[in-house]
Amino acid sequence: MFLRQPFWQCDNAKGLKAFYDAIKYGPNHLMVFGGVCATVTSIIAESLKGWNLVQLSFAATTPELADKKKYPYFFRTVPSDNAVNPAILKLLKHYHWKRVGTLTQDVQRFSEVRNDLTGVLYGEDIEISDTESFSNDPCTSVKKLKGNDVRIILGQFDEEMAVKVFCCAYDEEMYGSKYQWIIPGWYENLWWESWINSTQCLSKNLLAAMEGYIGVDFEPLSSKTNKTISGRTPQQYEKEYNAKRGDGQSSKFHGYAYDGIWVIARTLQRAMNYLNSTNKHQKIEDFNYTNHKLGKIFLNAMNETRFFGVTGEVVFRNGERMGTIKFTQFQEQKEVKVGEYNAVDDKLVIINNSIRFQGLEPPKDKTIIQEELRKISLPLYSILSALTILGMIMASAFLFFNIKNRNQKLIKMSSPYMNNLIILGGMLSYASIFLFGLDGSFVSEKTFETLCTVRTWILTVGYTTAFGAMFAKTWRVHAIFKNVKMKKKPDPAGRDISIRPILEHCENTHMTIWLGIVYAYKGLLMLFGCFLAWETRNVSIPALNDSKYIGMSVYNVGIMCIIGAAVSFLTRDQPNVQFCIVALVIIFCSTITLCLVFVPKLITLRTNPDAATQNRRFQFTQNQKKEDSKTSTSVTSVNQASTSRLEGLQSENHRLRMKITELDKDLEEVTMQLQDTPEKTTYIKQNHYQDLNDILSIRNFTDSKDGEKAILKNHLDQNPPAQWGSSDPSRTSKDPIEDINSPEHIQRRLSLQLPILHHAYLPSIGGVDASCASPCVSPSASPRHRHVPPSFRVMVSGL
């Protein structure tokens, strides 16, 4: 048997020399026991296959030695550094931690453990959300872990770097009830005191950050009270060991060294039993370095060895010890054992009430995200719906007004059918507000998807209908007044729990393209409306000229849409604010547009409807003549001439109106006298005939033909009337002339001729057109009940 003391000093040269001297200067050795330093042990273990020697280490924990292809004859009684990874997996599952991060020192030993841990966690539904490594300053890596919201940190670093890590953790506030650090548990007792001076961290701050960390390491001695293969319990062995070592330094590997001796003994015993049962002529003493058969027998015997030792159940799996892993927690400046993991049984045991978390419960592996659907406030929806209903009531009132007065000249000239379309567009825009306020709190997800399409189309169609009709009206006026070939007069017509809001948005695959198209053609529509409003700004008939109101509507709608769209986009995460802005913009734009179109007409119709359709006739006529002739060289002079002529006509019109008023009174008296019985009315005053002649003489003011002069005036000029009170005997005869001049004949002629005269001279002084088929005012109405407007109209009463 080749038994050597472990190479406590990691001197590669001395270690290798001692091994080769033992091989060279013999005797023949059956096995190699020992090996602590990874560099020396790995070199020896790799070369053992050439000598058919089995090596058993009790202190080499480097994961590299687990490679059976490279080190087929290597065994160890101490668990590998990688043996802690299955225990960590079990701990993570126990506390339902499914999201972790790793922080590793750039040393091969730690990197190998980290890489193996990645493989262990892979496929176990545990996410490694961030993997950080560092050489000297871990603070940058710690910040990144915090930035990625890593709450469970798996660390692999030595004592010196551990002090720096926890100082950075204190600075970043990565400690306390929200975080859990899991680090190697093989540090020496009071390990931080040796390295505290190498940092700028205060001792109390360091201890505050360290409080509650969990250390993971193999168990030096079993906690069970069962008797071991030696007949002693682990506790009895420890007591005897401490008594024999005295004041000497204790090593945590002593139990594994003790169990290692028993492994070699049981292996040799097993090999001898095998040789005795198969070949009585061969013994273990016959082994030499070239005896491959015996070397293989020793290898298989050790791999099958199993017993209960002072370090727990001793069993190998591919040369690796399946040992016991302990968990300790740093509590009040000391490490306390809180649990253990048995690799043989794959079982984790947490000691009752021993583990302490700094919160009421174990830390969460991440910020708990509670999804909360952001809903539109019901009171806000109710208020805006009420405003919308008021707007629709107003639009309905305008519609009723427009339909009721559709035959009024003012409404006819403003295109009542187009007005109806404007109102319809406004009502559709109002209706879309009800749909914009319906979200997941009112309707199902499938219904909401349908509403996304419906409300968008309703608002789009409403906008297009309202402004399309408005601009169509303006286009008609533009086509009439700006086309120089036209000669006809126009026809009047937004504890460790984070709330993540869930927002419902209407989106599609090509949202940007569709929005661009909609905004583009809506913008072009508004620009076209502005163009038409500008082109028709000088139309002289107020009932037709809506350019000012269209300009105001386009301005208000454009500004509000730009502001509303921008603010609505910026407040997408605030559905109440977004809905409020969208609704108010729609209400404002629809209300302003409808009011600008209909309120002026309503006011004008109630105050003076004729002023909006006729009080600028002459200016309009003069402007049309000026465009047709194109002979004017000075716009100013033409305007002055038109104004002067208009003033003259107005003065003459006023004089004639005053004259007609006086004559109306006389006509009324004549009418009353003529309506009396013939017995009571025996004569007509001479001056009444003169009054009738004065009435008929007004016809001379017109531009009509000379042949249309009154018959009554000619007749009176040829036949001067006699005195009504005379007793001329010739009057009693049945002469035809006497019958013609009788009161009955005069009354009959006046009743026929005066209406004709009424239509003949009114066009010349601003009244109805001469082509009118019927009088604008009933001739049978009494003159005292006639209303004479303050415009260019003159009223003549019929008898």
Side-chain angles (χ1 to χ4, degrees), residues 53 61 67 86 225 261 285 310 312 333 357 390 409 491 527 539 633 669 694 720-721 734:
L53 283 173
T61 61
D67 186 357
T225 59
I261 299 299
E285 291 86 353
V310 295
Q333 302 185 24
F357 295 107
L390 292 177
K409 193 172 185 180
D491 293 331
L527 290 176
V539 174
T633 58
E669 294 178 3
D694 293 339
K734 299 298 183 180

Side-chain angles (χ1 to χ4, degrees), residues 118-236:
T118 302
V120 170
L121 298 182
Y122 181 78
E124 295 292 341
D125 196 26
I126 296 179
E127 172 194 0
I128 301 179
S129 59
D130 192 10
T131 300
E132 297 293 335
S133 60
F134 64 93
S135 296
N136 187 47
D137 184 9
C139 290
T140 301
S141 298
V142 171
K143 287 182 180 180
K144 291 181 179 180
L145 290 172
K146 182 179 181 180
N148 289 327
D149 193 34
V150 175
R151 302 300 182 88
I152 311 300
I153 304 100
L154 308 179
Q156 286 291 331
F157 34 75
D158 57 27
E159 296 99 322
E160 180 183 5
M161 291 296 107
V163 172
K164 295 182 179 181
V165 167
F166 283 110
C167 284
C168 296
Y170 180 84
D171 295 337
E172 296 296 329
E173 298 182 350
M174 290 184 66
Y175 65 96
S177 61
K178 295 182 178 181
Y179 296 91
Q180 183 60 62
W181 290 83
I182 302 176
I183 63 174
W186 44 260
Y187 299 161
E188 296 293 334
N189 191 30
L190 302 177
W191 54 269
W192 62 89
E193 294 182 353
S194 303
W195 305 100
I196 185 66
N197 296 328
S198 63
T199 65
Q200 302 296 325
C201 190
L202 297 177
S203 178
K204 64 176 183 179
N205 297 341
L206 176 62
L207 293 175
M210 291 168 54
E211 185 67 24
Y213 79 74
I214 295 176
V216 187
D217 193 19
F218 55 82
E219 181 76 273
L221 293 174
S222 175
S223 60
K224 295 181 179 181
T225 59
N226 300 345
K227 287 186 177 182
T228 65
I229 191 174
S230 65
R232 304 179 181 88
T233 64
Q235 294 76 23
Q236 291 174 340

Side-chain angles (χ1 to χ4, degrees), residues 120 228 252 269 356 406 410 424 442 452 528 603 650 715 728:
V120 170
T228 65
K252 66 178 182 178
Q269 184 182 12
R356 298 179 186 175
R406 64 185 181 278
L410 173 64
L424 176 61
F442 297 99
C452 286
F528 183 64
I603 295 175
Q650 288 177 338
H715 175 74
D728 189 351

Side-chain angles (χ1 to χ4, degrees), residues 47 51 102 154 169 174-175 227 264 305 322 343 378 481 508 526 547 594 602 671-672 684 706 716:
S47 63
W51 285 287
T102 61
L154 308 179
M174 290 184 66
Y175 65 96
K227 287 186 177 182
I264 293 176
T305 299
M322 304 298 293
L378 183 59
F481 285 93
N508 58 33
M526 297 186 71
S547 61
L594 292 175
L602 190 147
T671 302
M672 294 177 64
I684 300 177
D706 295 339
L716 293 177

Side-chain angles (χ1 to χ4, degrees), residues 325-507:
I325 305 300
K326 71 172 181 177
F327 293 95
T328 59
Q329 187 179 37
F330 189 76
Q331 300 176 0
E332 298 178 356
Q333 302 185 24
K334 62 180 180 180
E335 290 188 346
V336 178
K337 183 179 178 179
V338 295
E340 67 179 21
Y341 167 76
N342 191 326
V344 178
D345 300 331
D346 190 26
K347 184 178 180 180
L348 173 68
V349 177
I350 300 296
I351 301 175
N352 295 333
N353 301 323
S354 60
I355 192 167
R356 298 179 186 175
F357 295 107
Q358 300 186 53
L360 298 177
E361 57 183 0
K364 306 297 183 183
D365 58 4
K366 60 182 177 180
T367 301
I368 300 301
I369 304 299
Q370 290 186 353
E371 295 185 350
E372 181 180 81
L373 178 62
R374 288 195 172 180
K375 305 176 182 179
I376 294 177
S377 171
L378 183 59
L380 176 64
Y381 182 75
S382 301
I383 294 173
L384 293 176
S385 297
L387 293 177
T388 303
I389 292 174
L390 292 177
M392 297 185 75
I393 293 174
M394 180 196 69
S396 301
F398 287 151
L399 180 63
F400 174 77
F401 164 80
N402 193 64
I403 295 176
K404 180 181 179 182
N405 299 282
R406 64 185 181 278
N407 293 323
Q408 293 287 340
K409 193 172 185 180
L410 173 64
I411 303 302
K412 280 186 174 181
M413 295 182 69
S414 64
S415 301
Y417 296 109
M418 293 298 177
N419 292 341
N420 292 340
L421 289 178
I422 294 174
I423 296 173
L424 176 61
M427 296 184 73
L428 288 175
S429 299
Y430 282 129
S432 67
I433 297 176
F434 296 111
L435 302 182
F436 274 105
L438 297 177
D439 56 11
S441 60
F442 297 99
V443 298
S444 64
E445 182 177 353
K446 185 176 181 180
T447 305
F448 181 79
E449 293 179 0
T450 304
L451 287 177
C452 286
T453 303
V454 173
R455 71 189 190 186
T456 302
W457 275 106
I458 288 179
L459 180 59
T460 304
V461 171
Y463 175 92
T464 304
T465 302
F467 279 89
M470 184 185 299
F471 298 155
K473 288 175 52 178
T474 312
W475 170 255
R476 182 179 63 85
V477 177
H478 172 269
I480 293 174
F481 285 93
K482 293 302 176 180
N483 190 350
V484 296
K485 296 180 180 180
M486 295 187 66
K487 302 300 181 182
K488 296 181 179 180
K489 293 188 294 183
D491 293 331
R495 178 190 91 186
D496 192 18
I497 296 178
S498 177
I499 304 299
R500 181 170 65 187
I502 302 299
L503 303 175
E504 294 178 317
H505 293 294
C506 294
E507 295 183 352

Side-chain angles (χ1 to χ4, degrees), residues 494 503 505-507 511-512 515 519 561-575 577-579 581-582:
L503 303 175
H505 293 294
C506 294
E507 295 183 352
M511 190 72 173
T512 305
L515 286 179
Y519 290 155
C561 287
I562 293 174
I563 296 176
V567 177
S568 176
F569 178 80
L570 296 175
T571 58
R572 296 184 66 187
D573 58 340
Q574 303 178 50
V577 177
Q578 186 183 43
F579 171 63
I581 292 173
V582 171

Side-chain angles (χ1 to χ4, degrees), residues 55-110:
Q55 181 181 6
L56 177 64
S57 173
F58 57 87
T61 61
T62 177
E64 179 187 5
L65 295 172
D67 186 357
K68 290 289 106 180
K69 292 183 179 180
K70 191 175 183 180
Y71 311 104
Y73 283 79
F74 179 80
F75 289 81
R76 50 186 166 192
T77 56
V78 63
S80 166
D81 290 339
N82 287 344
V84 301
N85 291 333
I88 292 175
L89 171 63
K90 208 69 174 180
L91 181 69
L92 296 177
K93 288 185 175 181
H94 180 78
Y95 289 108
H96 306 288
W97 291 328
K98 297 184 178 182
R99 186 174 182 271
V100 300
T102 61
L103 182 62
T104 309
Q105 183 180 352
D106 282 335
V107 175
Q108 182 180 2
R109 175 185 180 184
F110 302 122

